[in-house]
Amino acid sequence: MNSADDYTPPSSAEIASKQNSPEALRLLLAQRKMHSKAKFWSTIRTVGVAAIAIIAPILAILKPEYAVVAAAVAGAWVFLGRTFLANLQLSKTHKAAAIQEDFDVLVFGMPGLAPKSPRASLEDIEVLVGPAEAINKQVVQQKLENWYPVDPATSGLDAVAIAQRANASYSSRLLNLNRRMWMTCVVVWVIASVSVGMAFSWTLETFILGLFLPILPALLDVFEQWRLTTAASRERSELALSIEEKLAGVEEHHVQPQDLLIWQERMYSLRISTPQTANFLYKITRESNERAMKGAADHLANNSNSADGGRS
């Protein structure tokens, strides 16, 4: 294992081979399943907010006297979501990020960086991946091979940087879609609420007391999710851009081994703080996002290979 001071990335051929090794695929499968567990608690939280947003207006229409009860329930759910449910989600997210870190360290031949906690135990990983004879089938079903785009003709240094950028850019695109989904939900709710108020000829006072206030806590929770998702998408986009700029640099301004270690720590920090994205969004956009990721990686690899040819 390299130390941080003398880290030398493996060749691109070694990276391409290592990421498809049984050990690496096992880690990748485990982190995907751990993320699914985190998304489960995130989904429970979201479903609760959605239920409040739907039920509260109905109560306001049919039973105006229950508006205060609806507001109390909304407030209690937001409290539960930001404490108990959020802690469950965060714990699983941290463990998934630690497993992903182990995968990256293995594939990129990096030294062990700062200890990650909480992290999944060996027993946790065994339970996640299941019987050894079923791993290959799951790997094929989830399309886990060739996780990072790697051009064998690219230097190992640039190959790691391109893979890191691909990860950051892919996640940024996915989070941006998630952000738009949250905003769409809010806009649809506002339009529906105003339409209901107009249909029933509500006064402004009735609208505020009977409809808006009961679900205000849930609405604030949705806004917070949108804000966090927006920030996470922007930070990953900025990371991808900084890597791209380094790849385009020459000589001392080009990518250095220490840059890779710094970016890796940054990626871990983003992984543990990034809101979860619904599985259905990931699935319906995976093909197009992976095509975009591979196209960008091929472009960067071609530029890197041309530059290396000019320097040699």
Side-chain angles (χ1 to χ4, degrees), residues 23 58 78 105 147 150 179 190 214 249 277 282 287 299 303 306:
E23 183 181 3
I58 295 176
V78 171
V105 166
W147 186 253
V150 180
R179 174 187 64 81
V190 169
T277 301
Y282 172 79
E287 184 176 348
H299 175 75
N303 288 344
S306 298

Side-chain angles (χ1 to χ4, degrees), residues 34-200:
M34 186 63 79
H35 267 304
S36 292
K37 290 180 177 293
K39 290 178 182 180
F40 170 79
W41 295 112
S42 177
T43 300
I44 293 295
R45 183 177 171 184
T46 302
V47 168
V49 171
I52 291 170
I54 294 172
I55 295 174
I58 295 176
L59 285 177
I61 296 170
L62 301 179
K63 298 287 184 178
E65 64 272 19
Y66 289 161
V68 175
V69 176
V73 170
W77 182 259
V78 171
F79 174 79
L80 181 65
R82 293 197 177 190
T83 54
F84 179 70
L85 296 179
N87 285 336
L88 287 173
Q89 175 190 331
L90 194 59
S91 174
K92 303 299 183 186
T93 299
H94 274 70
K95 290 181 179 181
I99 297 173
Q100 177 74 49
E101 184 77 358
D102 290 342
F103 171 82
D104 287 347
V105 166
L106 174 66
V107 172
F108 299 150
M110 289 182 166
L113 304 176
K116 306 301 184 284
S117 180
R119 60 183 302 114
S121 67
L122 294 176
E123 290 80 5
D124 289 336
I125 293 177
E126 285 296 331
V127 171
L128 287 169
V129 300
E133 58 271 16
I135 292 179
N136 288 339
K137 182 179 179 181
Q138 295 180 78
V139 166
V140 173
Q141 288 177 338
Q142 299 196 35
K143 302 177 182 178
L144 301 182
E145 292 185 323
N146 301 315
W147 186 253
Y148 289 124
V150 180
D151 185 340
T154 305
S155 69
L157 188 68
D158 285 2
V160 174
I162 291 172
Q164 290 177 322
R165 183 202 171 279
N167 183 277
S169 179
Y170 186 104
S171 298
S172 177
R173 288 169 58 87
L174 193 58
L175 286 165
N176 193 42
L177 176 62
N178 197 33
R179 174 187 64 81
R180 293 199 300 270
M181 182 195 72
W182 282 112
M183 181 54 65
T184 299
C185 289
V186 172
V187 170
V188 169
W189 177 87
V190 169
I191 293 174
S193 299
V194 172
S195 299
V196 168
M198 293 177 64
F200 285 85

